[in-house]
Amino acid sequence: RTGALEVGLYPVPALVAVDRILRGMNIYLLPHEWDFAFYAAMAWQSVIMAIGITLRIGLLRLERDLARAKERSLGELAQTDGLTGLPNRRAFDERDWRGGDFLAIVDADHFKQINDRHGHQAGDRVLAAIGAELRHSVAVDRGCLAAFRMGGEEFALLVAARSEDEAALIVNAVRQRVCARVASLVPELAAPLTVSAGVARIGKGGIDAAYQAADRALYKAKNAGRDRLCYEMEQRGTALMFPRRKHAA
């Protein structure tokens, strides 16, 4: 469009310029009143140039906005796990962490057996179901601030709570919902999926220390029989939270 306007700039001024050159050579093709056409042509040129510049600036802004949107999209894509839709380990490493929140490491129990018995497609569906429930928890639960896929069958959950006990209750509820979501979306599993979790507060040592502490707690939960949560308590060691037993009818 701007190119067409630029083409439209030249005919009128060019015609006036030719006329004035010929007049200088005492060749009068047009009436004397056309002397005023010079000023009209300049005004015409100014208007068309202003329109063209405005359109060109608008086009450059549009190209800039599209480039920024593409850059943001690529950045989000680079920090998103394609299978689960959760932020990935890169997003985890680049996040600004707030002291006082809690980090939970959530891990699917005996996941290798699922791949061995049902195939990797079933395993992928299990991971996608876990991701779906974690995304849902972040969306609806005020205590769940963010969730990440760390790699393989390991996930991370950021929790806001007033105490270790409250954080453990929040994560344990999420853990149980994850198991229910997998049972609903992947019913062909030979045995119900269970998940274990470890929870620790983000303290003075930052996210690295919290991750190590949560990982230790997860290890204890695994060694205690899996399908449970272990959390660190300040100056009180660790505590295990077992799944609720079903009462006999």
Side-chain angles (χ1 to χ4, degrees):
R1 293 180 181 178
T2 56
L5 284 173
E6 289 170 358
V7 172
L9 279 173
Y10 304 112
V12 175
L15 178 61
V16 174
V18 170
D19 176 66
R20 292 183 68 85
I21 292 172
L22 292 176
R23 285 175 182 274
M25 298 170 63
N26 292 321
I27 301 174
Y28 295 92
L29 299 178
L30 299 173
H32 290 286
E33 287 77 9
W34 272 79
D35 289 342
F36 297 102
F38 173 78
Y39 303 104
M42 292 302 99
W44 167 262
Q45 186 175 18
S46 298
V47 170
I48 297 300
M49 286 185 65
I51 295 174
I53 291 172
T54 301
L55 291 177
R56 182 60 63 96
I57 291 174
L59 180 61
L60 292 175
R61 287 178 175 173
L62 177 60
E63 292 176 349
R64 178 201 63 190
D65 294 341
L66 290 175
R68 288 179 176 176
K70 184 177 181 181
E71 183 180 0
R72 287 194 298 269
S73 178
L74 291 174
E76 292 174 358
L77 185 63
Q79 294 189 344
T80 302
D81 177 63
L83 178 61
T84 64
L86 291 172
N88 57 20
R89 180 60 186 263
R90 179 178 178 179
F92 180 90
D93 292 336
E94 295 180 0
R95 183 183 176 91
D96 292 328
W97 301 91
R98 183 180 65 181
D101 290 335
F102 292 85
L103 177 68
I105 305 299
V106 180
D107 189 89
D109 296 328
H110 302 298
F111 184 74
K112 185 177 181 300
Q113 295 180 8
I114 295 176
N115 285 331
D116 293 342
R117 294 177 182 177
H118 303 280
H120 288 277
Q121 289 185 345
D124 287 348
R125 291 175 61 201
V126 168
L127 295 175
I130 295 174
E133 183 55 45
L134 291 179
R135 292 199 314 272
H136 177 74
S137 295
V138 171
V140 303
D141 192 334
R142 291 184 179 180
C144 298
L145 303 179
F148 307 82
R149 185 187 178 192
M150 303 300 288
E153 65 271 25
E154 183 178 289
F155 298 80
L157 183 65
L158 179 64
V159 173
R162 291 167 294 185
S163 66
E164 294 88 349
D165 293 339
E166 182 181 356
L169 288 172
I170 293 173
V171 176
N172 198 55
V174 173
R175 188 180 66 82
Q176 293 175 350
R177 293 199 301 268
V178 164
C179 297
R181 176 72 71 109
V182 172
S184 174
L185 297 181
V186 195
E188 68 269 23
L189 296 182
L193 176 80
T194 62
V195 297
S196 300
V199 182
R201 183 189 292 270
I202 302 174
K204 295 181 180 180
I207 190 60
D208 291 336
Y211 185 88
Q212 294 176 7
D215 195 55
R216 289 194 301 268
L218 173 65
Y219 185 77
K220 292 179 180 179
K222 294 280 189 180
N223 283 344
R226 294 182 171 84
D227 189 21
R228 61 205 66 202
L229 176 148
C230 181
Y231 62 104
E232 290 204 343
M233 301 181 296
E234 291 182 357
Q235 301 178 352
R236 291 182 291 165
T238 57
L240 276 173
M241 183 176 292
F242 294 83
R244 296 178 179 178
R245 296 182 180 275
K246 293 182 179 180
H247 298 286

